[in-house]
Amino acid sequence: MISSARIPFTLSLCALGAALSLAACSKQEAAPAAGAASGSASASATTAAAGAVEVLIGTVGPMSGGIAHVGKDVENGVRMAIDEINASQPVIGGKPVHFKLIAEDDAGDPRQATTVAQKMCDAQVAGVVGHLQSGTTIPAADVYHRCGIPHVTPAATNPDVTKAGYNTTFRVIANDNQLAEAVAASAAQQGVKTVAVIDDRTAFGQGLADTFEEAAKQNGMQVLVREFTNDKATDFMPILTAIKARNPDAIMFGGLDAQGGPMLRQMQQLGMSQVRLLGGDPLCTERMPELSGNSPTVENVICATGGISVQRMQGGQDWLQRYEKAYSGQFQIYSPYSYDATQVLVAAMKQADSTDPQVYLPKLAALQYQGLTGDISFTPRGELQKPAVTLYRFQGGKRVEQ
């Protein structure tokens, strides 16, 4: 629940304005007195030009660093959804509503993620789409729960994201259990019998590697060795040299494309051109060939993503054309899910006829929504009721379904 001692909305928003470049704070209407229903302050400001109630939606992800391209793709999906929702001239609580996006950078750092999450609480956003990574989502989820703000991650896959049982945490993508099991089963079917495992020591990478190791054994594979690196590393020669001596059929990497690309290039340099690289959704981004320096080893990748490809989504081709028109060349992987995450937040508000998180949160938990990415409904823990998984490989410099 949001504390009754919160700063009045107009003042907190103006104070935040310098950091977030929010204009015209002085034109906002007076906020409800402290002690009013939580979240109602986010709907108290009006958009002077249109006379509509302004409601803030937040999105958080890595907008700097090695995977900023993925973070930007997530932000683009949220912006696209908000633009389309606003164009429909929504009315909630008997008043026209205008949604406004606050986008923040957590730099993929757990400490920065909690700082930014608190910023969202102070700004009294009505809901948050994010974070991208499990290692940032898990600590941020605690902040949002204490503030009473619902957040929906379109990308964080570690099962621990929902393990705390917070009623404010939701995920619109499959988790690592499903991804690791799919990759392990596919690798076994393609003749992989021995595998080395590397993780980047993040919550995502280590969690995926742990789950894969169990799934590999269940599929009859032998795990030869377990190594680790970090999510900023680019030199994997010592690890790969040690692994090469064990002669594995495949390497499973629990990590991101920013490390997976250089790893593929170095595997080629070491003569490991026949060794497969297995991984989760970060290895499935459109930039993997580029990040690998277009190494031939990119065609040895087997990766899994939660959900289905945008090409197979109902209306996906039209949606992708609209995305490309607005954000040419920026599509990666998660923007359809951040788009749907935004849509489900607003759909719950419409069902509740309120933008107050305390009022619309029960509607979000019970939502039955047909989205771009498929049917969206949640378990009591905030997981998808029917998650889908898609396996990919790379061919001719392009990501293709297996």
Side-chain angles (χ1 to χ4, degrees):
M1 181 180 296
I2 300 174
S3 169
S4 61
R6 298 169 73 176
I7 302 170
F9 177 66
T10 305
L11 296 179
S12 64
L13 184 56
C14 289
L16 189 66
L20 300 177
S21 299
L22 296 176
C25 288
S26 61
K27 296 181 181 179
Q28 306 300 328
E29 293 182 353
S38 69
S40 61
S42 66
S44 67
T46 61
T47 303
V53 177
E54 186 174 84
V55 179
L56 304 180
I57 297 289
T59 187
V60 187
M63 305 302 173
S64 58
I67 58 167
H69 57 290
V70 186
K72 188 61 178 175
D73 182 48
V74 167
E75 180 186 328
N76 291 343
V78 180
R79 288 191 183 278
M80 187 170 168
I82 286 178
D83 287 346
E84 293 180 5
I85 291 166
N86 284 336
S88 72
Q89 298 182 333
V91 174
I92 300 176
K95 298 178 181 178
V97 168
H98 180 85
F99 290 96
K100 184 171 183 177
L101 180 64
I102 297 178
E104 278 289 329
D105 179 15
D106 65 17
D109 179 77
R111 288 175 296 182
Q112 188 161 327
T114 57
T115 299
V116 173
Q118 188 58 53
K119 271 189 177 182
M120 293 294 174
C121 292
D122 294 342
Q124 299 187 23
V125 298
V128 173
V129 176
H131 297 211
L132 174 71
Q133 296 153 274
S134 298
T136 53
T137 304
I138 291 169
D142 180 65
V143 178
Y144 296 130
H145 180 66
R146 286 187 278 109
C147 293
I149 295 176
H151 75 109
V152 184
T153 176
T157 54
N158 191 311
D160 286 351
V161 167
T162 61
K163 188 174 287 186
Y166 295 148
N167 68 337
T168 47
T169 300
F170 300 86
R171 175 168 26 215
V172 291
I173 200 165
N175 65 36
D176 287 342
N177 292 335
Q178 288 100 22
L179 299 183
E181 289 164 5
V183 170
S186 177
Q189 290 168 6
Q190 296 182 48
V192 172
K193 298 186 183 301
T194 57
V195 61
V197 177
I198 307 173
D199 74 75
D200 67 0
R201 278 302 187 257
T202 65
F204 161 73
Q206 191 168 358
L208 181 65
D210 290 343
T211 305
F212 174 85
E213 191 167 349
E214 290 302 314
K217 293 173 182 176
Q218 292 171 10
N219 280 273
M221 286 183 274
Q222 180 184 2
V223 178
L224 299 176
V225 64
R226 177 79 178 257
E227 299 280 358
F228 66 90
T229 181
N230 65 73
D231 63 346
K232 304 296 188 296
T234 56
D235 181 7
F236 305 101
M237 283 296 195
I239 291 175
L240 292 175
T241 300
I243 288 174
K244 182 182 178 182
R246 306 297 293 269
N247 195 31
D249 296 324
I251 295 171
M252 187 278 164
F253 177 50
L256 307 174
D257 62 354
Q259 284 70 52
M263 187 177 293
L264 285 167
R265 187 168 61 249
Q266 291 160 38
M267 288 169 66
Q268 180 72 24
Q269 292 167 359
L270 287 170
M272 303 173 73
S273 58
Q274 302 305 310
V275 179
R276 293 192 175 277
L277 184 66
L278 317 178
D281 41 351
L283 297 194
C284 291
T285 66
E286 297 279 0
R287 284 193 66 192
M288 272 298 288
E290 174 191 343
L291 291 167
S292 74
N294 294 307
S295 170
T297 48
V298 76
E299 299 202 359
N300 294 338
V301 170
I302 302 174
C303 57
T305 69
I308 60 176
S309 67
V310 66
Q311 289 80 7
R312 289 201 291 119
M313 294 173 187
Q314 187 172 1
Q317 292 283 13
D318 290 340
W319 182 90
L320 188 57
Q321 288 179 7
R322 300 199 309 275
Y323 180 99
E324 287 294 338
K325 184 177 179 179
Y327 312 108
S328 178
Q330 296 183 41
F331 180 77
Q332 295 298 319
I333 185 170
Y334 296 120
S335 47
Y337 299 93
S338 61
Y339 175 90
D340 267 2
T342 310
Q343 295 284 0
V344 298
L345 285 171
V346 175
M349 294 177 197
K350 289 179 177 178
Q351 286 190 14
D353 204 26
S354 174
T355 59
D356 182 337
Q358 284 190 338
V359 176
Y360 84 77
L361 183 56
K363 295 294 185 181
L364 180 59
L367 194 68
Q368 301 284 329
Y369 183 80
Q370 177 60 52
L372 170 69
T373 59
D375 293 329
I376 298 175
S377 59
F378 300 108
T379 69
R381 280 192 177 271
E383 297 278 5
L384 277 181
Q385 292 275 7
K386 298 178 180 179
V389 174
T390 301
L391 289 159
Y392 288 95
R393 58 189 177 88
F394 292 88
Q395 184 174 24
K398 300 292 184 181
R399 182 181 67 191
V400 295
E401 289 187 47
Q402 287 208 108

